[in-house]
Amino acid sequence: MPQVPAPLRLLLPLSQTLAPSPLLHLSRRLFTSSFPSFGRAASLRAQPGRRHHHPRRGSSTLRKAPKEEMAGGGDREVAFNRKRAEGRDGGKRGSMELKARKLNPVNTTCYVQILGTGMDTQDTSPSILLFFDKQRFIFNAGEGLQRFCTEHKIKLSKIDHIFLTRVCSETAGGLPGLVLTLAGIGDEGMSVNIWGPSDLDFLAGAMRSFIPNRAMLHTHSFGGARNASSSQPKDSVIILDDEVVRISAMFVKPKYHNGAGSLNDVDSKPGDTAIVYACELQEIKGKFDPAKAAALGLKPGPKYRELQLGNSVQSDQFNEMVHPSDVLGPSIPGPTVLLVDCPTQYHMPELFSLQPLSCFYEDSSNQRESGKKVNCIIHLGPSSVTKSVDYQNWMKRFGETQHIMAGHEIKNMEIPILKGSARISSRLNFVCPQLFPSSGFWSVKPANDVMENDKSTSLEACGIVSAQNLLKFHLRPYAQLGLDSASIPSLFTYKDIVEELVSEIPEVREVPEQVLKFWQNNANVKNMPPAGSRMLMVEEPWIGQKSDKLDDGSPKHPRDNQDIPCCVEDATREDMEITFLGTGSSQPSKYRNVSSIYINLFARGGILLDCGEGTLGQLKRRFGVNGADEAAKNLRCIWISHIHADHHTGLARVLALRSKLLKGMPHKPLLVIGPRPLERFLNAYSMLEDLDIEFLDCRNTLKPSVEAFLSENDTGSATPQLENTMFAPGSRMENYNRKPASPRDTTALANFREVLQESGLEILYSVPVVHCPQAFGVVLRATEKVNGAGKVIPGWKVVYSGDTRPCPALIDASRDATVLIHEATFEDSMKDEAIARNHSTTKEAIEVGTSAGAYRIILTHFSQRYPKIPVIDEVDMEKTCIAFDLMSVNLADLPVLPKVLPHLKVLFKDEMVVEEADEIQEAAVY
């Protein structure tokens, strides 16, 4: 390669900067750290491992790139941030000190509130908010908590402490993303105290594999030693005790029956320990008596307040101290709330025998002596546990206490918790049910008469109510003590949403019929209209800013004469379908979840490409609770593009569920392909939950290595040749791993071969891309098949870019792809930001697919500044479509895909860009 004279230009031809050889190794030879523009790019802080902060419009410090030349081939100039690609753009972060608030123990508002995350999808534990004027506490932080708080305008920056009732993916799946979001707030970042049993140390250790700044994690574990069989304290552990509230924890471990019929806990894992939290507000002081104060020689003033706060003061007239008891009436014990998590029947024996709870039992002498009373108990266990006779009898021991049953119940599945997302899904389903089969609602059929039993069991008269989203129980002021349903969102139905849509946009009535004709006229998308024929498409004048005519005055239409690939022409509806579970970037938002794509191979199983937080919940919204369970059980492989949290923090929840569903059934560990740092996270996390996986490094799945491995007919002789191919001097793999493949990698590769065969894939290989260290795209190509006429049909080819700048390695890999799924984080006017963050603009993404000759291009990974639909140029969309959450694209539907977009945009004609004061900024700044 010719030497590039110094000083180097920021922009170099792609053929020089990003040749197919290992990207980062080559870039080190082409760039020097003395070039000033890169230092400025790196000043836009982005920590390794944290999700991407997208600067606001015009905030980039990189200079504008020269106009690019883009045609069917040839070199073009593309810029990228070298320091970010090498993981050296972290910058020095602030200390992210914890917030210190001045408390107000006298005049305060306090309530507990149900945050209904997971109530509809049954995939994660609800969170509980304990609210004070000057403090906020959250109990449990399952997946979807950020998205929930964004929708309901609960400011994450106000949270002081997070408590976990168990340390597992069900209760803590949203914690990594939440920590990273808080770290991005303000100039210095913010942090939060995280509390849990000693198992929390395992989770913290796992999170540090992709959260390198230790200042982000303020974790506090309590209890016994970190092993499953250690004994936990029998008394409660006081965690927090200030002027406003005392929070204590009690330990509940499962007891399993051994062969002799006795109970033991030797089979429990660290994550099995559950915690009961007692939140006791400080006693309510008696009424202040000014007459008594005057008689003791006190003058009105600051000393009155000191006495009300519980402090003794010196008399103004006499040589004596005046104590609070001298001037205050009898105190009233402060309200108490219990949060009880009893996840299984095996936890019940220890829960029922907890000694610290005896002071709250109505029939206890300790209760009569202490005068303590529980005002509210929130039960987080599932209904299968809390509705058992033994549990109900235990509840009665608390006397006249308000019980709120917040565990999973089947009836809750009918009420969408994320109303904004359900509203968008319903509208898209109305306009185009072919691409959006999920309406956002589903009716629940009774299973084993569970629903009937729920209806026939009326417990409200006994002080028992079912939790509803945002239900409150007021604790202060004391006069308002009790339930408050005012904040519960109003119920709505699919019919309500459609009627609202039609009233807003009357012309939308005609769209479903117009869209349906695409499928009818194309005879299941196997016969496209002849070239030159008019398509049934109504373009609204607001779509695009450019003329709807060509220079010669003729109307513009997407090209219909593009050859349909044989694999599409002969496709059945059960060959392959792409479902987008998350299409946003950085963090979950009201309308778009973070990255995840489900490749549905139907009878052959399925593959996940990336697995951001909330992936399991999205699977359940698309396929239903039972359908998502089947999808999880039938997964063949999960492929992760890079270590940024918005692409992998949903893994643990999916893997833990799959392991649970397949327990006791013959099965193989699930193959997870990802960057090596991901393995460290999964290995550390597996101390908490069974993940049942086999890991394969993406660097071991580059195309030359996979082709060499698959060409070996004799498995026994594959190892030495594999090593020579992957790591020989001068090979592509030399710069990624200079050590021979370990036996563990060889075993995973053998499993990889089986996965390809079972999935009907000819090959799956990773492609190095330009984003951060060890960032990859992926290529999946199906095996060829023979149609009914005896003709050999090549297999379909799907390419997914992951996060990347445009690069020739991906263009080469995308040659003649049936579908290219490419990230398009920024609009075209924000190219500087795309360069600084090593992302792509919409135009750049489309140009990659056009250069590669891809049949269809689907754009995804949009910045959350575009909450519903990104800014695009209609001219570039002739074979391109925009992805939406829960959109399902069948292989047989690809010919009609670009034609649908103008009709979908009718839904969003007034909502193209989010305002500066958007909901994401309200809930938590990036």
Side-chain angles (χ1 to χ4, degrees), residues 48-125:
R50 72 160 296 173
R51 293 165 302 165
H52 332 293
H53 172 189
H54 301 145
R56 290 211 172 270
R57 201 183 312 265
S59 63
S60 172
T61 57
L62 288 174
R63 62 185 175 85
K64 229 9 180 183
K67 184 176 180 180
E68 297 182 0
E69 295 181 10
M70 190 64 188
D75 286 349
R76 65 185 178 93
E77 294 182 330
V78 173
F80 73 100
N81 185 336
R82 176 178 64 90
K83 287 189 175 181
R84 181 173 177 82
E86 296 176 353
R88 299 190 295 110
D89 63 337
K92 185 177 180 181
R93 292 289 297 180
S95 60
M96 285 176 281
E97 292 294 332
L98 296 166
K99 299 175 286 294
R101 307 188 193 277
K102 186 176 181 180
L103 305 182
N104 181 4
V106 177
N107 299 313
T108 186
T109 298
C110 176
Y111 56 80
V112 286
Q113 186 172 30
I114 306 296
L115 308 184
T117 53
M119 290 180 69
D120 53 345
T121 53
Q122 314 275 287
D123 66 308
T124 190
S125 173

Side-chain angles (χ1 to χ4, degrees), residues 265-276:
D265 58 6
V266 295
D267 295 326
S268 64
K269 286 180 67 71
D272 290 340
T273 301
I275 301 296
V276 174

Side-chain angles (χ1 to χ4, degrees), residues 278-294:
C279 305
E280 302 174 77
L281 274 64
Q282 298 296 347
E283 65 179 10
I284 301 171
K285 303 295 183 182
K287 186 176 180 180
F288 181 80
D289 190 335
K292 289 184 178 180

